[in-house]
Amino acid sequence: YLELTSSAPAVSRDHELFVSLQIDARQAWRQIKRAGGKNGLDAGACAVLMRELEALAEHLTAADVRVVGALRPGMVAAVIRVAFDPWSRPGLARLQATDHDRDGIDEAAAWPIGADTSWSHYRADGAFHATYWIASWPRIDVGAAFLSPLLLQAQMVRAIAVTIEPISPLKAIREVEAARTTDVADRELRGRMGFMDTARRRRHTDAVSRREEELADGHAAMRFAGYVTVSARTFEELERNCSEIEHAAQMSRLELLRLYGQQEDAFTYTLPLCRGLR
């Protein structure tokens, strides 16, 4: 990825990568209560979150990913502000250059002054946005750089987010066992009815068997969803950018679906808020 970034055109080199962490208080209530003690649940939640954040940073470092550090509240506000209005970045950079003690922006300034949503796009201040859902990922074996057309070669302002949630081992095993049982019963029924076994059905059976073997070997199960938000200064430019991002996604063997009628909510899925899973 670093080699691809260094060889990409200059216009595509301004990249920012953020990893957001969210803990479900309903699932971690025992740890929160234990960590809080006499200080209360809020203190316990902060302690558990910091512990998990440090563990995540250690795992990223072990994977040769350089972690700069956790964002402070003002820096998080600046990230959200730039997401709503990407062209506010130069002004914020100038403010930071003139005041080195400046810690991002005020939290109240993170949100747009005005916003308007329509069937196909979302407008915030002076920027137009359109959000897509990654409906289908590659169905064939791909290399590590399969996302390079989307990440490096596309020339428009865009934000790409993937939200991942781990599934408990017991739940994952129950789901794959239920899928195996359903698949066997369906195959027997199709055989009695005289239907031919198709290549798609065989691949589905192989995928379920492979997933069961991975769980038996101790691999973790995850559920995830991906989203892409395209931004522009005008509606006409936005439509051109949408056509280009759809082509780049096809080159990456992804299927994008524009979230018509959901643009206001869908836009938040590419903010660092761990949203998008249902």
Side-chain angles (χ1 to χ4, degrees):
Y1 178 82
L2 293 177
E3 292 177 357
L4 288 170
T5 303
S6 62
S7 62
V11 70
S12 65
R13 288 182 178 172
D14 189 9
H15 286 183
E16 287 184 330
L17 176 61
F18 300 99
V19 179
S20 302
L21 175 66
Q22 182 185 82
I23 295 178
D24 191 341
R26 295 171 297 181
Q27 298 183 13
W29 68 271
R30 289 188 178 87
Q31 294 89 333
I32 292 175
K33 185 177 180 180
R34 189 182 305 113
K38 297 181 180 180
N39 295 324
L41 295 179
D42 288 343
C46 292
V48 172
L49 181 62
M50 289 301 299
R51 184 182 65 198
E52 295 297 327
L53 189 63
E54 292 174 355
L56 177 61
E58 291 177 359
H59 288 308
L60 292 174
T61 302
D64 292 332
V65 177
R66 187 169 67 91
V67 179
V68 178
L71 298 183
R72 293 181 289 274
M75 301 171 70
V76 175
V79 171
I80 294 177
R81 178 61 192 173
V82 170
F84 278 103
D85 186 6
W87 292 273
S88 65
R89 185 192 302 271
L92 295 178
R94 286 192 293 268
L95 289 175
Q96 183 68 36
T98 56
D99 184 4
H100 296 288
D101 296 330
R102 187 181 183 89
D103 185 16
I105 63 175
D106 187 82
E107 297 175 32
W111 312 103
I113 301 299
D116 179 50
T117 185
S118 70
W119 185 254
S120 62
H121 68 276
Y122 174 68
R123 184 178 184 181
D125 290 347
F128 291 79
H129 309 279
T131 302
Y132 291 83
W133 170 50
I134 302 178
S136 177
W137 297 82
R139 299 178 181 270
I140 61 175
D141 292 337
V142 294
F146 77 98
L147 285 177
S148 59
L150 190 64
L151 294 175
L152 302 176
Q153 299 175 15
Q155 303 299 313
M156 76 291 297
V157 177
R158 72 274 188 199
I160 303 170
V162 178
T163 305
I164 305 173
E165 180 185 23
I167 302 175
S168 66
L170 291 178
K171 182 179 179 181
I173 291 173
R174 286 198 300 266
E175 289 179 351
V176 74
E177 289 178 348
R180 282 291 302 273
T181 302
T182 302
D183 186 67
V184 171
D186 184 65
R187 187 165 58 249
E188 292 178 354
L189 178 61
R190 291 173 64 88
R192 289 199 302 267
M193 298 296 292
F195 291 101
M196 296 290 293
D197 195 15
T198 64
R200 185 179 64 85
R201 296 291 307 175
R202 290 194 297 271
R203 290 184 181 180
H204 175 75
T205 301
D206 294 341
V208 173
S209 301
R210 189 164 55 250
R211 183 183 177 194
E212 185 180 24
E213 292 176 359
E214 291 173 351
L215 291 175
D217 292 337
H219 294 283
M222 303 283 180
R223 71 186 191 102
F224 60 92
Y227 300 90
V228 179
T229 292
V230 183
S231 303
R233 292 179 181 270
T234 65
F235 177 72
E236 292 74 16
E237 181 185 357
L238 178 66
E239 290 302 310
R240 291 194 300 270
N241 291 348
C242 286
S243 299
E244 294 179 12
I245 204 69
E246 291 172 6
H247 177 69
Q250 292 172 1
M251 297 295 292
S252 298
R253 301 185 182 278
L254 302 177
E255 179 186 355
L256 297 185
L257 289 182
R258 195 162 177 172
L259 294 175
Y260 291 104
Q262 309 174 50
Q263 287 295 308
E264 185 174 12
D265 291 336
F267 175 79
T268 64
Y269 298 164
T270 51
L271 296 177
L273 301 176
C274 299
R275 300 194 65 193
L277 288 175
R278 301 179 181 178

